[in-house]
């Protein structure tokens, strides 16, 4: 009987995921993901924006995750999303590694790990900026753990994505969580 009870929620979860992907395709949701695997925490001493050699970067696993994200998006019918990324190399490389189209650097997605006092204002700016975007192709955002946690209260794994309803709001409950493929 206990085994049967464990199986009961699965159709509901599958249905929720299907509905979340549909909302993303229709522009009623966005995909917010943490950059793919880049070993370490924070940024090394001497970090400089725009100079990848000074940053924590994707490893081979992270590059493979980015490619698989692109394949997953294509399987879900999301061929050419609007890709917005933090300006950190590991986020830009995740977005471009998906091979789904051009990537636009978006400062509101930048990490504030080293300046946590900036988190509330930057999260508010992200919400405002995303909600001001015109309708268009599905929206995929690549950011960092601290940003995603500040917005949703969820601590995502590297390469994990959250499908969030639009308009974007603070502490929004995700429609679905998508593990790194």
């Amino acid at each position: 009987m206990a085994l049967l009870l464990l199986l009961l929620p699965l159709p509901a979860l599958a249905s929720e995921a299907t509905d979340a992907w549909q909302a993303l395709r229709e522009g009623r949701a966005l995909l917010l993901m943490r950059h793919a695997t880049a070993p370490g925490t924070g940024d090394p001493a001497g970090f400089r924006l725009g100079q990848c050699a000074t940053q924590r970067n994707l490893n081979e696993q992270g590059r493979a995750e980015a490619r698989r994200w692109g394949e997953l998006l294509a399987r879900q019918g999301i061929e050419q999303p609007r890709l917005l990324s933090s300006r950190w190399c590991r986020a830009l490389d995740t977005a471009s590694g998906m091979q789904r189209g051009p990537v636009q650097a978006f400062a509101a997605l930048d990490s504030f790990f080293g300046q946590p006092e900036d988190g509330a204002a930057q999260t508010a700016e992200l919400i405002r900026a995303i909600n001001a975007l015109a309708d268009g192709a599905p929206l995929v955002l690549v950011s960092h753990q601290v940003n995603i946690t500040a917005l949703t209260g969820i601590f995502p794994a590297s390469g994990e994505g959250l499908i969030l309803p639009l308009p974007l709001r603070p502490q929004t409950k995700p429609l679905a969580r998508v593990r790194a493929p």
Side-chain angles (χ1 to χ4, degrees):
M1 184 60 155
L3 182 58
L4 264 176
L5 291 175
L6 288 174
L7 295 176
L8 287 177
L10 291 178
L13 291 175
S15 175
E16 288 174 13
T18 300
D19 292 346
W21 284 108
Q22 185 64 31
L24 179 60
R25 283 188 294 274
E26 293 174 356
R28 296 181 291 112
L30 60 78
L31 173 63
L32 173 61
M33 57 181 291
R34 182 177 177 186
H35 61 78
T37 301
T41 303
D43 291 299
F47 165 88
R48 286 189 302 277
L49 194 60
Q51 294 185 7
C52 296
T54 69
Q55 300 180 29
R56 198 164 49 94
N57 293 296
L58 299 184
N59 62 8
E60 185 52 44
Q61 177 183 339
R63 288 186 290 277
E65 288 168 0
R67 284 190 299 276
R68 289 191 303 266
W69 261 108
E71 294 163 1
L72 175 59
L73 289 171
R75 284 193 309 275
Q76 291 296 331
I78 301 167
E79 290 293 333
Q80 293 193 331
R82 291 178 288 172
L83 287 165
L84 304 180
S85 173
S86 157
R87 296 177 294 169
W88 271 232
C89 294
R90 59 187 173 269
L92 288 166
D93 290 347
T94 298
S96 63
M98 290 185 224
Q99 301 177 347
R100 295 287 106 204
V103 177
Q104 179 183 346
F106 199 69
L109 293 168
D110 288 354
S111 176
F112 51 81
F113 182 83
Q115 294 88 27
E117 65 278 5
D118 295 345
Q122 189 171 325
T123 301
E125 172 57 20
L126 174 66
I127 292 169
R128 186 206 61 73
I130 293 301
N131 290 339
L133 291 174
D135 292 341
L139 189 56
V140 175
L141 312 178
V142 182
S143 192
H144 305 267
Q145 175 270 312
V146 292
N147 303 68
I148 296 169
T149 301
L151 179 64
T152 67
I154 294 170
F155 191 111
S158 292
E160 181 177 2
L162 305 173
I163 300 177
L164 302 175
L166 288 170
L168 201 53
R169 297 189 191 320
Q171 300 303 304
T172 299
K173 180 182 175 207
L175 301 173
R177 287 180 75 166
V178 184
R179 290 182 187 180

